[in-house]
Amino acid sequence: MSRFLTPAKIGLLALIELYTEEAVPNDSIVPVIKFIISHLLGRDLVSTSVSAPADPWGKADSTIRLVVSIQDFEHVLGPLAAADHLPGRRLWDMFLEKLWAIDSLHALRVFFDRLPRLSAKTRDELRRMAELGEHPPSGLLLSRRSPFGRFVRKSHSEFPLLKFGPAAELWKGFVKYRHPTAGYWNRRNPHHGRLSFDSVLMTGEHGWGPGADALAVVAYGDMLRLDGQDDTLSVSTDDIESLLEFQIELIQKYGNRAPPDIRDRLLRLLKDCHLIPSLSHYLNFSDAWRSGEYPTSLDHLHRYFDYTMQGRKRLFYQYALMNVAIVQTDFGCHKEAVTAMLETVSIARENRDMTCLNFALNWFFHFGRAHPDLVRDLENSTMLGSGKETLAFLRVMAKETGMWILWGSALLNEAKLGLSGGESVSVALEYMVRSSHMVVRRNMKTMMGAQLSMAIALWDRLGLSYLSGLTCEVFMRCHANRSVFDDELRVTCRLAGLLAGRGKYEEAFEKLEAVNSNSLRAVESNQHWHLYRGILKLSRDLHRNNIEAADCLLSQLLQMRTDDIEADIVFVIDLLHVESLTRRGDYEPAFVKTDRLIAEMRHDKRDISLRIRLLLTKAHLFDRTGRPERGFTIAMRAASLAWHARLVALLWQAMGAIANVLNALSEFATAAELLVIVLPRCLETDMAYMTGTLYSLLADARMGQAGEKATAEGMSRGGRAAGAPMKATASASAAPAAAQKKPSEFLAKAHEALDLAFGYFSLVEDVEMQCQVLAKNATLMRSMGDHGLSEEYAAKYVALKRKADARNG
Amino acid sequence: MGLSAKDALHLKEALQIAAVKCSERCLYQSAKWAAELLDALPDVPAAELGQVASSMPGSQVHPAFAPNADPLEAALEAKELNKYLLAKTFFDCKEFDRCAAVFLPESLLAGLLSAKANDTTSPRGKGKATAAPSAEQSLPAISQKSLFLALYAKVISGEKRKDEDSEMIMGPQDLGSVVNKQLLVVTRFLERWLAERKAEDCELSASQGFLEYLYGMVLVKEKNDSVALDYLMQSVHLFPWNWGCWLEIANLIARVEHLNKIAPHLPQNIMSFIFHANTAVNLYQQGQDLAASLNDLLGIFPTSSFLLTCKALLNYHMKDLLAAEQDFSNLLALHPHRLDSLDHYSNILYVLNLRPKLAFLAHLCSSIDKFRPESCVVIGNYYSLLSLHENAVQYFRRALTLDRSCLSAWTLMGHEYVELKNTHAAIESYRRAVDVNRRDYRAWYGLGQTYEVLEMHAYALWYYKKAAGLRPWDGKMWQAVGSCLQKMGRDRDGIKALKRALLADSYYDSTSSSFGSAGAVDRMAQMDPEVLLQIAIMYDRLDEEDEAKAYMELCVAQEDGGLGDSVAIHRDSSGVASDGEAEATERGGGGEGTGVTVATSKARMWLAKNAMRTEDYVTANRLATELCQDGVEVEEAKALIREARSRMELANMVDR
């Protein structure tokens, strides 16, 4: 196997020669040059528009195709006419003529020796030629620094470097590469004989007779006999390396694994090259890593390091360790990962490798966020300090060493930390703006994912789900092609989550299904995708009151709850578990679990929103067990926390909880007032279930108010009850307008609220709440005296129940 | 020359026995040679076979596998069959020391050596060898076959170690001074063994000839040539089918005279015939007789690659390159996997400048075996033809690493070093080539050339003379001698040498044309104008103007070739005009003349000036005008014309 030259490259050279001989007619120049350039530069000249190439693997595919067979040339050159405009003569014929003119090993050498003719002469050469009295060459000449010129010069200088054996191999490979065209060439060229692939054999055939065949077999081996059946392909190290680099780049950049067919073809190429570049081990490692084979990936990683020990790469020991640590984390071996990373830090410190140190520190920060228990001892015993200090330090270091990506991500992390700690939103925004500035200024396209993810999270927290959805769309449309697949997946999940929150389950699932299946071959993405789909399904099933299916899903999801999935998702699953328990009426375990989770949260410094959600769950549990008053302090605390952290969506939920408590305490007017203020803001969040709940609470409050009014009226009519006036005055003072209203007005308002609540609940297909609302409605109607409507609601209730049961099987 | 069926059968049997015996003793090359020859022998027609077969009992074991005819030896061989098989397999696995130790453990050898040192005349009895190093120790009683194998393994292991100790080709250790340390032991041992045989031949079984061969080989390595030749001849008499032995003899013969001298002492059989032909070819002999005898042999072995190679080499040495190329080409088609002597073929292709074919040959060789010295030489030649001398040197070095005695590689490497202007290395390479084989005229010639480049003419002359001695009929050698002498100022000798060069060219012409393979050679062909010019210049320096002028005219006459006859009177020879070309294909050949060359122009200029001196202005004017027409040294010629004209005008004026 040669280093650079392959039969396919000889073909390209021949084509370039044709081009310089002006044998390519004007209208065919563009496709020919495009073809050559796409193989020389590995880039498509025409489609360099803003959007990234549709098929990122196309390049690898075309490279492999060109190396393997001459057909690519035929596809391009076949339809083009030759410049001499003889009827029926195509460029392909001229190209073949060139190829078949190379009719012996020596002719191949002559072909390469002739190459400098194609390129323009340097000034020295011109002067020398002038001294010798030669005329400077004329015609189409390749500039020495043009892609063509460089390719030609490189090929020219590479050939003499080949030893005889490889040169002969190249020649054999070329004969084989050219062989498929023999039939065609034979038809066009009557002189063409069986042995004309080698002129020496051809001329010797007269003298040698049958001996010529024997000689041909000896010289060319089995190649002739098998007629292309054998599978050795001539490929150069150069090609292989560029292919490998390309794949690794794709894996690192997009987190994609190669599609199976391309992978197979590459493996075939690799099989034929005796000199396997060490990069291929790295590729194998990446592939195994992505596909989740822990032993294989570590094995390949070590093999790669073994093969790269020589040379300057020995200095990269710390990077090797860092890789090991990252792999260990991905496979859930956190303890080993920590030791490896600590080793990395010490080695990097020894080698004064600031870049590596910064990376390690960054990693530690993230790791610490994900697994606080493992890092805790470390933090106490070392100078690493708390998260915030680390980040500030990192930011400064990154700025000093010019690691822009690290700088950007440090800023984002700081913003994130601030948000999750419930600190000032504006400070977080400032960090985000700074990071955004960095991203734009340094054109860090890969950072776009992190940047926009942060923005999405921020809008979510602020309850501006419309903006968050918009940002998602922006990312998907403009940046998804250039960023890591992981980001794309997360944003897709987020979009699906938003849709599901609005009750558009089908659309949400569609979004998830539309994810590129090849990209999902990476095990981590695949897992995430499955988990998220599971969670969506689970929440839908819970809404539909499909407890059996939910249990089934839950048991699976709970099993996944090992160390290797993210804490956030674990939390979501836990919450869903609690909800499922609640819905089934197993309040005791639900309560225990919630308490445990709250205790854990307090222990670790986790995101404040999670804590608020837990508090709200607890308050909800109190409500379900019929003692909503006990949840008052909890709800108040949740509300105040949410207010401080500007977690708007949660704030409204907390308000709902408070209103519920107020209802329970018969402070209906206050509750109603609170809810009326909260509801419009809540509508902004697009959370249908929460809106429905709030409306249903509002209806309760209105009913309470109506009841109060009725009692008050009844009392004013038939003697006042003892405690009533005081309450009435209280409510009157709180809502002077309400005091003037009649009970029927309140009832109508309650009905209205119930209808709205029913609408929102049916959006998310929540059977239980729908039934509850219908029951309330029926009661309301009866109390308003409309028995017909009441019956209707009751019938609806029964139908709904039956339908749900039928659906749940 | 056909053989009768019976003879053919006998020959076949003899060759079969030879192949088996040689391979029993691990003489691989000899066995291969015999087997190849056997294969080239055409099958005897069945009818005749039947006749002969009836005379022999059919059920008999084939003689090649029959037990030794000597009962004593047969008994020994039968007894030690196990050990022999062990030793043979060791040898086949290239574990030479281990092979030797099976029959001759080190302790035994040490004892023998010390015994030898102490007292050689002490009576020796037969008996089991004991490990005790006593003065009374006797030779071990083992069969000759086993003994040969053991000692041969010793020699080979010594050779191997020698090669290893020499390290890199032309490196600091590789001075040819490393010796085979096992030779001493083997010599001592064989000396005693042979002495015993001589003293008490009645008691011991007769020698089979192989041990004599081994002793001869060892003696050759110790440069004890004449004794070695004796033993080798003894061996050949005892067992004529060992080709290796014949080759050793051939290597000892440096001159044809020597060959002719020893010829009567050789056994008279087909092997000696083959030997004679082969040696003659290697001694650059040529002539009808040799060709005829080769053809006779080819009649017996029509497809023998060995004989075909000899024939091709004969053509090559006779400078009939096209025929040689044809021969080799046919040989290639006949035996496509055979690499032997393809290096010669590549030399021929090199000289013929058949680049594609040479490239193909190189490709073929490297496909068969990249690590054979022949392949490397072929590839090196190809690179040399492409003027990639560095690469060529690399491949020649590789060839030498594979086989230090690869003669052509040494010589060719010398050529490459000359091209690379590395005279020091060139001289060393040539010297090594000469050390390997003193008959390689190209190496001698190369040495001379190198010294000539270094302007050390005395050395150069010495080496040129050596080369000329090896190829007295090659004009090029004499020309080199002549020009060297000229540079040293020994004009008389130089003229002699150069005249000999002219003569030599004509000599080989006559032989080659009578051989008839190259077609009729044009007798009206010309002499080399260079040589003629040189002779003329030397005469000029000796102030023998007439001679000088004659040669100058002869030189100029070569331009149109045909005139050669008219001026040939001046030559010492019988007046046969000859082909002046050193290489038949280098130029067009035939009688068209050389056209204007530098040499003829110089001669013409000299003649013109001479004419001026002798006041023959018309001639001077004519010659100068011709010079102008040819476009050589126009300025000077014009000046001459002007002067000649003015003189003529002056003369006219004076006349008037």
Side-chain angles (χ1 to χ4, degrees):
Chain A
M1 193 182 72
S2 65
R3 223 150 52 98
F4 179 77
L5 294 169
T6 56
K9 290 210 168 97
I10 298 177
L12 287 178
L13 284 172
L15 198 54
I16 292 177
E17 206 177 64
L18 265 187
Y19 167 67
T20 54
E21 283 163 7
E22 297 177 49
V24 182
N26 285 338
D27 48 347
S28 318
I29 282 181
V30 170
V32 167
I33 289 190
K34 195 180 138 198
F35 174 73
I36 299 174
I37 282 294
S38 73
H39 286 291
L40 290 192
L41 300 183
R43 199 176 304 149
D44 217 342
L45 276 190
V46 178
S47 65
T48 39
S49 52
V50 191
S51 67
D55 180 13
W57 297 99
K59 186 210 155 199
D61 189 44
S62 76
T63 311
I64 295 175
R65 270 213 319 270
L66 189 77
V67 166
V68 169
S69 117
I70 200 168
Q71 273 169 357
D72 257 24
F73 283 106
E74 190 172 1
H75 290 320
V76 174
L77 302 179
L80 304 177
D84 46 11
H85 289 300
L86 286 176
R89 196 164 146 88
R90 297 174 302 160
L91 205 53
W92 172 238
D93 296 305
M94 298 190 69
F95 176 67
L96 281 188
E97 203 176 313
K98 271 241 168 298
L99 286 194
W100 284 94
I102 305 173
D103 59 357
S104 67
L105 177 55
H106 184 72
L108 185 68
R109 188 171 286 278
V110 172
F111 175 78
F112 276 105
D113 285 345
R114 226 169 36 194
L115 283 179
R117 249 182 2 158
L118 303 183
S119 49
K121 302 280 174 273
T122 58
R123 200 171 300 148
D124 278 354
E125 281 170 332
L126 284 176
R127 207 183 54 220
R128 218 168 300 136
M129 285 177 90
E131 277 170 13
L132 291 173
E134 291 170 29
H135 295 290
S138 59
L140 191 57
L141 289 174
L142 304 173
S143 146
R144 294 174 64 82
R145 285 186 195 80
S146 66
F148 280 23
R150 268 172 40 209
F151 176 62
V152 166
R153 279 191 303 148
K154 169 138 188 160
S155 306
H156 173 67
S157 61
E158 282 285 333
F159 189 74
L161 293 182
L162 291 181
K163 298 228 176 279
F164 186 81
E169 282 300 314
L170 179 66
W171 162 239
K172 264 160 80 174
F174 176 68
V175 167
K176 218 185 92 196
Y177 188 72
R178 191 179 55 181
H179 191 69
T181 63
Y184 179 80
W185 186 240
N186 213 353
R187 260 176 283 131
R188 307 287 283 196
N189 234 37
H191 307 298
H192 181 90
R194 203 170 39 86
L195 289 174
S196 63
F197 60 86
D198 190 326
S199 65
V200 176
L201 282 173
M202 177 99 145
T203 47
E205 202 179 357
H206 309 294
W208 289 333
D213 279 331
L215 278 179
V217 170
V218 173
Y220 290 94
D222 293 338
M223 197 184 80
L224 298 168
R225 235 178 292 154
L226 292 171
D227 214 17
Q229 290 292 306
D230 63 340
D231 47 4
T232 50
L233 297 165
S234 330
V235 56
S236 64
T237 324
D238 178 63
D239 285 343
I240 288 282
E241 266 177 4
S242 80
L243 275 175
L244 286 177
E245 269 165 20
F246 173 72
Q247 290 208 32
I248 288 170
E249 186 194 324
L250 274 197
I251 284 187
Q252 287 184 339
K253 203 161 162 191
Y254 303 115
N256 282 3
R257 295 170 68 197
D261 60 324
I262 288 186
R263 212 178 93 106
D264 285 352
R265 277 192 282 172
L266 186 82
L267 279 182
R268 242 189 86 195
L269 285 189
L270 273 180
K271 199 186 72 193
D272 293 328
C273 62
H274 315 294
L275 199 129
I276 293 178
S278 51
L279 261 185
S280 79
H281 300 302
Y282 192 79
L283 180 68
N284 282 338
F285 149 68
S286 302
D287 203 52
W289 177 20
R290 297 286 163 188
S291 62
E293 289 177 83
Y294 173 62
T296 321
S297 65
L298 272 186
D299 187 37
H300 279 299
L301 186 63
H302 281 288
R303 184 170 298 160
Y304 172 70
F305 292 139
D306 291 346
Y307 281 113
T308 45
M309 267 316 273
Q310 79 276 37
R312 65 191 180 85
K313 286 180 181 148
R314 201 195 328 232
L315 298 175
F316 294 169
Y317 182 46
Q318 62 266 35
Y319 290 101
L321 282 170
M322 192 154 72
N323 258 314
V324 171
I326 292 168
V327 174
Q328 302 272 28
T329 340
D330 269 13
F331 288 108
C333 307
H334 301 298
K335 285 223 175 71
E336 288 89 335
V338 170
T339 38
M341 201 46 103
L342 283 178
E343 181 78 15
T344 310
V345 170
S346 66
I347 298 282
R349 209 173 271 168
E350 231 170 72
N351 295 348
R352 301 183 181 284
D353 189 342
M354 284 321 288
T355 325
C356 184
L357 264 180
N358 289 349
F359 274 127
L361 213 53
N362 191 27
W363 182 86
F364 259 120
F365 169 73
H366 282 281
F367 190 76
R369 302 273 303 153
H371 310 277
D373 46 324
L374 282 172
V375 192
R376 197 170 301 128
D377 315 336
L378 220 64
E379 275 182 354
N380 295 339
S381 61
T382 60
M383 304 281 286
L384 275 172
S386 69
K388 213 134 194 174
E389 290 163 39
T390 316
L391 278 180
F393 175 71
L394 258 182
R395 204 178 59 205
V396 174
M397 290 308 295
K399 196 172 172 184
E400 270 175 17
T401 45
M403 298 165 66
W404 311 120
I405 291 190
L406 189 66
W407 189 1
S409 74
L411 283 169
L412 286 178
N413 280 328
E414 234 165 320
K416 202 181 206 169
L417 198 65
L419 282 181
S420 69
E423 287 161 34
S424 163
V425 174
S426 46
V427 171
L429 249 173
E430 186 203 324
Y431 284 131
M432 280 174 64
V433 169
R434 279 166 71 184
S435 146
S436 170
H437 175 69
M438 286 281 310
V439 169
V440 174
R441 200 167 127 205
R442 308 277 168 199
N443 193 24
M444 296 184 292
K445 286 178 182 156
T446 44
M447 280 296 291
M448 216 59 207
Q451 176 74 33
L452 289 183
S453 297
M454 195 63 223
I456 292 166
L458 180 74
W459 299 133
D460 264 345
R461 280 166 168 268
L462 293 180
L464 296 168
S465 71
Y466 177 73
L467 273 180
S468 137
L470 190 76
T471 318
C472 285
E473 285 293 335
V474 166
F475 175 78
M476 289 304 286
R477 291 209 187 157
C478 304
H479 304 292
N481 278 331
R482 285 193 202 83
S483 57
V484 185
F485 174 72
D486 223 32
D487 283 337
E488 191 184 331
L489 184 67
R490 268 156 221 278
V491 171
T492 313
C493 289
R494 182 66 226 140
L495 260 181
L498 280 176
L499 285 171
R502 264 183 273 160
K504 296 178 178 166
Y505 296 113
E506 294 310 316
E507 282 178 43
F509 284 121
E510 249 170 53
K511 272 259 182 291
L512 280 182
E513 297 295 342
V515 169
N516 184 356
S517 64
N518 180 54
S519 304
L520 278 182
R521 287 176 62 237
V523 71
E524 215 185 321
S525 314
N526 199 355
Q527 200 181 29
H528 190 264
W529 184 77
H530 272 112
L531 272 176
Y532 208 84
R533 218 169 55 135
I535 287 170
L536 278 191
K537 266 210 170 107
L538 177 61
S539 63
R540 189 184 63 178
D541 283 342
L542 283 177
H543 280 310
R544 286 180 178 173
N545 228 13
N546 192 351
I547 302 292
E548 301 300 315
D551 265 356
C552 186
L553 264 174
L554 243 179
S555 62
Q556 286 179 32
L557 287 176
L558 285 173
Q559 270 173 21
M560 298 282 278
R561 262 210 54 199
T562 42
D563 289 336
D564 47 344
I565 53 176
E566 289 164 59
D568 286 359
I569 290 196
V570 174
F571 178 77
V572 172
I573 294 172
D574 280 335
L575 269 191
L576 285 169
H577 186 208
V578 171
E579 189 178 343
S580 145
L581 289 172
T582 323
R583 281 187 186 245
R584 259 191 299 167
D586 291 342
Y587 298 123
E588 186 66 33
F591 193 80
V592 170
K593 180 152 189 176
T594 318
D595 257 357
R596 184 169 58 78
L597 284 174
I598 289 176
E600 267 176 29
M601 284 296 152
R602 199 175 299 141
H603 204 63
D604 307 335
K605 285 175 251 165
R606 295 285 294 271
D607 191 345
I608 198 160
S609 73
L610 307 184
R611 212 164 132 220
I612 300 171
R613 281 166 84 173
L614 278 174
L615 291 174
L616 289 173
T617 312
K618 201 170 170 185
H620 181 63
L621 268 173
F622 280 127
D623 175 38
R624 292 295 294 253
T625 46
R627 281 179 287 179
E629 311 84 15
R630 286 195 61 183
F632 184 66
T633 44
I634 298 173
M636 279 308 284
R637 194 172 344 135
S640 97
L641 278 175
W643 171 243
H644 277 296
R646 295 291 189 283
L647 285 165
V648 178
L650 288 174
L651 178 63
W652 309 145
Q653 208 178 334
M655 286 302 155
I658 292 172
N660 190 27
V661 176
L662 288 176
N663 273 344
L665 295 173
S666 309
E667 293 287 349
F668 301 112
T670 328
E673 195 181 351
L674 196 61
L675 288 170
V676 167
I677 297 167
V678 163
L679 262 169
R681 311 261 170 97
C682 181
L683 282 173
E684 280 177 4
T685 61
D686 262 356
M687 305 292 279
Y689 183 76
M690 194 167 83
T691 319
T693 317
L694 290 185
Y695 271 119
S696 139
L697 284 172
L698 181 65
D700 288 354
R702 294 291 187 211
M703 275 302 278
Q705 278 179 304
E708 270 176 15
K709 206 74 186 174
T711 340
E713 275 178 16
M715 225 174 273
S716 60
R717 255 185 261 131
R720 291 177 173 228
M726 195 193 84
K727 245 187 191 173
T729 46
S731 65
S733 63
Q740 312 304 322
K741 284 173 187 159
K742 289 184 178 161
S744 58
E745 274 177 52
F746 285 112
L747 284 181
K749 277 191 176 168
H751 176 63
E752 199 182 330
L754 278 178
D755 270 352
L756 281 169
F758 183 78
Y760 282 107
F761 284 131
S762 41
L763 263 183
V764 291
E765 304 176 23
D766 193 310
V767 179
E768 202 181 315
M769 292 310 279
Q770 270 172 300
C771 291
Q772 203 183 350
V773 171
L774 282 176
K776 280 182 183 169
N777 242 339
T779 322
L780 182 73
M781 283 303 140
R782 192 172 305 134
S783 66
M784 284 173 79
D786 192 342
H787 291 280
L789 262 179
S790 167
E791 285 300 316
E792 208 174 294
Y793 277 121
K796 254 190 190 169
Y797 176 94
V798 173
L800 197 65
K801 258 273 187 303
R802 206 169 287 148
K803 199 172 132 201
D805 284 343
R807 190 170 52 198
N808 298 343
Chain B
M1 181 170 90
L3 288 176
S4 72
K6 197 171 174 190
D7 287 343
L9 266 188
H10 277 303
L11 184 58
K12 205 170 228 177
E13 197 181 289
L15 282 172
Q16 282 162 349
I17 294 172
V20 171
K21 284 205 165 170
C22 289
S23 64
E24 270 177 353
R25 285 162 181 78
C26 296
L27 293 168
Y28 299 123
Q29 293 295 335
S30 302
K32 181 178 96 179
W33 186 86
E36 265 188 316
L37 209 60
L38 192 60
D39 186 54
L41 203 59
D43 282 331
V44 180
E48 292 175 46
L49 195 68
Q51 275 177 16
V52 184
S54 60
S55 65
M56 288 196 252
S59 61
Q60 219 180 356
V61 186
H62 191 281
F65 301 104
N68 203 317
D70 189 327
L72 203 62
E73 281 288 311
L76 277 173
E77 277 177 24
K79 201 178 81 184
E80 62 203 17
L81 181 63
N82 292 349
K83 283 181 116 185
Y84 163 75
L85 287 175
L86 183 70
K88 170 101 169 54
T89 43
F90 283 156
F91 197 104
D92 288 341
C93 296
K94 303 206 186 320
E95 299 179 38
F96 302 117
D97 286 331
R98 216 171 154 202
C99 169
V102 171
F103 287 109
L104 303 173
E106 284 301 323
S107 52
L108 175 74
L109 285 177
L112 280 174
L113 281 183
S114 56
K116 171 77 185 167
N118 288 347
D119 189 5
T120 46
T121 54
S122 64
R124 303 178 203 99
K126 275 177 72 178
K128 288 281 168 209
T130 50
S134 74
E136 297 297 310
Q137 197 168 28
S138 64
L139 293 175
I142 50 176
S143 67
Q144 289 182 28
K145 188 163 79 175
S146 310
L147 185 61
F148 177 85
L149 193 60
L151 290 174
Y152 186 52
K154 270 247 169 275
V155 173
I156 295 290
S157 113
E159 284 293 303
K160 199 175 135 214
R161 205 146 297 146
K162 185 179 126 187
D163 276 354
E164 285 163 5
D165 289 344
S166 304
E167 291 174 6
M168 202 178 74
I169 292 291
M170 295 179 75
Q173 299 291 319
D174 186 24
L175 301 166
S177 56
V178 186
V179 289
N180 183 344
K181 295 190 184 77
Q182 302 290 349
L183 289 185
L184 184 68
V185 187
V186 178
T187 324
R188 291 268 170 83
F189 196 101
L190 281 174
E191 254 172 30
R192 258 181 84 180
W193 192 86
L194 290 167
E196 267 181 20
R197 208 71 14 178
K198 242 176 228 164
E200 325 164 34
D201 47 358
C202 48
E203 197 184 329
L204 292 166
S205 53
S207 170
Q208 292 163 353
F210 284 103
L211 284 163
E212 280 85 355
Y213 162 57
L214 185 62
Y215 192 49
M217 197 158 72
V218 171
L219 288 173
V220 168
K221 288 198 197 304
E222 289 174 345
K223 305 259 186 275
N224 196 350
D225 288 356
S226 58
V227 187
L229 190 60
D230 279 350
Y231 276 102
L232 288 172
M233 299 241 296
Q234 269 184 41
S235 164
V236 169
H237 274 285
L238 287 165
F239 185 76
W241 301 99
N242 181 2
W243 180 245
C245 189
W246 290 104
L247 272 184
E248 289 289 344
I249 297 178
N251 281 338
L252 288 176
I253 297 172
R255 291 293 165 97
V256 199
E257 296 77 39
H258 195 186
L259 174 66
N260 293 335
K261 210 169 73 193
I262 66 159
H265 305 292
L266 293 171
Q268 297 305 310
N269 54 20
I270 192 162
M271 287 299 276
S272 120
F273 195 52
I274 295 173
F275 160 75
H276 199 277
N278 179 47
T279 315
V281 166
N282 286 341
L283 287 170
Y284 313 112
Q285 292 304 300
Q286 39 195 283
Q288 218 166 356
D289 298 344
L290 186 52
S293 61
L294 268 181
N295 278 338
D296 281 351
L297 283 171
L298 274 171
I300 304 173
F301 307 103
T303 56
S304 164
S305 51
F306 171 75
L307 292 171
L308 285 171
T309 312
C310 282
K311 196 179 155 207
L313 284 178
L314 178 64
N315 280 334
Y316 175 41
H317 294 322
M318 291 190 328
K319 306 226 155 170
D320 189 355
L321 292 170
L322 286 174
E325 198 276 331
Q326 202 55 45
D327 285 342
F328 267 119
S329 180
N330 291 336
L331 189 64
L332 198 64
L334 222 57
H335 303 276
H337 289 279
R338 188 173 181 267
L339 285 178
D340 302 337
S341 69
L342 283 187
D343 45 340
H344 295 293
Y345 186 25
S346 74
N347 288 342
I348 294 169
L349 293 174
Y350 181 94
V351 177
L352 289 176
N353 201 13
L354 291 174
R355 289 168 188 233
K357 200 150 192 182
L358 185 50
F360 175 76
L361 187 69
H363 177 198
L364 189 76
C365 289
S366 81
S367 307
I368 296 169
D369 190 348
K370 264 181 272 192
F371 299 106
R372 274 279 293 271
E374 285 89 351
S375 308
C376 297
V377 169
V378 173
I379 295 170
N381 260 333
Y382 177 56
Y383 276 126
S384 171
L385 192 59
L386 296 169
S387 305
L388 298 170
H389 300 295
E390 300 275 4
N391 295 17
V393 166
Q394 213 174 1
Y395 274 94
F396 290 136
R397 284 186 94 102
R398 186 185 280 182
L400 289 171
T401 314
L402 292 167
D403 179 8
R404 268 164 208 274
S405 60
C406 185
L407 170 70
S408 48
W410 280 118
T411 315
L412 292 169
M413 191 155 86
H415 291 342
E416 296 312 315
Y417 276 128
V418 171
E419 293 287 343
L420 290 170
K421 309 256 187 302
N422 186 349
T423 43
H424 174 74
I427 289 171
E428 195 179 334
S429 312
Y430 286 133
R431 173 40 74 181
R432 297 293 294 271
V434 170
D435 285 347
V436 174
N437 185 343
R438 302 186 74 77
R439 291 174 314 202
D440 187 13
Y441 75 94
R442 277 167 301 175
W444 292 117
Y445 185 76
L447 271 173
Q449 255 184 334
T450 320
Y451 279 118
E452 208 175 337
V453 170
L454 293 173
E455 307 204 328
M456 298 162 87
H457 297 294
Y459 283 171
L461 182 63
W462 166 257
Y463 290 120
Y464 280 141
K465 276 183 172 167
K466 282 259 182 201
L470 279 165
R471 281 172 75 90
W473 58 89
D474 192 337
K476 215 170 142 194
M477 306 296 140
W478 288 113
Q479 194 187 334
V481 171
S483 38
C484 203
L485 284 168
Q486 183 194 356
K487 279 174 193 148
M488 291 169 76
R490 290 160 61 181
D491 290 331
R492 285 276 164 221
D493 297 336
I495 290 169
K496 250 188 224 165
L498 287 179
K499 279 184 178 168
R500 183 129 192 214
L502 293 174
L503 194 64
D505 286 341
S506 69
Y507 168 76
Y508 103 74
D509 247 6
S510 62
T511 54
S512 82
S513 56
S514 62
F515 192 54
S517 59
V521 174
D522 199 323
R523 300 211 147 247
M524 303 307 281
Q526 58 280 93
M527 290 171 276
D528 191 346
E530 282 282 351
V531 180
L532 293 171
L533 178 71
Q534 276 181 355
I535 296 177
I537 289 171
M538 279 191 279
Y539 272 126
D540 186 33
R541 278 212 301 230
L542 291 167
D543 290 332
E544 294 180 26
E545 202 150 300
D546 290 346
E547 287 283 334
K549 193 178 169 193
Y551 274 95
M552 287 293 182
E553 277 168 357
L554 195 59
C555 179
V556 172
Q558 297 307 316
E559 281 183 6
D560 352 300
L563 291 174
D565 264 343
S566 58
V567 273
I569 0 150
H570 292 286
R571 297 180 46 192
D572 302 333
S573 67
S574 55
V576 179
S578 65
D579 179 5
E581 294 184 13
E583 259 128 39
T585 50
E586 211 167 72
R587 280 168 235 144
E592 289 151 22
T594 57
V596 179
T597 65
V598 182
T600 57
S601 302
K602 273 186 185 158
R604 185 169 280 130
M605 179 63 80
W606 186 89
L607 282 173
K609 283 181 182 166
N610 189 45
M612 286 294 290
R613 272 201 297 282
T614 52
E615 300 180 354
D616 183 0
Y617 299 122
V618 184
T619 318
N621 188 27
R622 180 176 53 83
L623 289 168
T625 320
E626 279 172 12
L627 269 175
C628 277
Q629 282 165 0
D630 298 338
V632 194
E633 301 196 40
V634 184
E635 297 302 319
E636 209 177 338
K638 275 182 181 163
L640 269 179
I641 292 172
R642 265 196 300 278
E643 200 182 339
R645 289 216 176 122
S646 63
R647 289 284 173 87
M648 279 196 292
E649 276 165 23
L650 196 68
N652 283 345
M653 273 158 65
V654 170
D655 281 352
R656 246 180 268 148

